[in-house]
Amino acid sequence: MAEKEMINKDKEILRKRLRERRVYLDMTLEDLAQKSGLSKSTLQRYETTGIQSIPHGKIFVLSEALPR
């Protein structure tokens, strides 16, 4: 598999896990927006590929907002 394909696959996995975790915790996009400080529209675009990549700092913020 080419490196670019692998990166795209990793991005898709991240998007899927983000949405799955939010839904598992019974959180709406609005709930996550309030907890993370990110806008609801940004979160929606993260989950639906509207934004091509999620900055590393935002991944950390999201991981804190979506606890284990």
Side-chain angles (χ1 to χ4, degrees), residues 18-34:
L18 172 61
R19 184 177 191 292
E20 285 175 351
R21 185 68 182 160
R22 178 181 62 78
V23 170
Y24 176 80
L25 293 172
D26 199 27
M27 295 175 77
T28 64
L29 285 170
E30 185 65 35
D31 295 335
L32 184 54
Q34 290 176 356

Side-chain angles (χ1 to χ4, degrees), residues 2-66:
E3 185 174 331
K4 188 172 184 176
E5 289 176 26
M6 180 66 96
I7 290 170
N8 288 336
K9 183 76 168 171
D10 291 343
K11 288 179 184 180
E12 186 59 35
I13 290 168
L14 179 59
R15 285 177 187 15
K16 183 178 177 184
R17 287 184 180 173
L18 172 61
R19 184 177 191 292
E20 285 175 351
R21 185 68 182 160
R22 178 181 62 78
V23 170
Y24 176 80
L25 293 172
D26 199 27
M27 295 175 77
T28 64
L29 285 170
E30 185 65 35
D31 295 335
L32 184 54
Q34 290 176 356
K35 198 165 183 183
S36 68
L38 301 171
S39 74
K40 179 181 166 185
S41 62
T42 296
L43 293 168
Q44 184 177 27
R45 289 181 296 179
Y46 283 165
E47 289 185 2
T48 61
T49 69
I51 295 177
Q52 291 302 312
S53 62
I54 303 173
H56 290 119
K58 302 300 182 193
I59 294 172
F60 179 75
V61 167
L62 291 167
S63 70
E64 293 290 311
L66 297 165

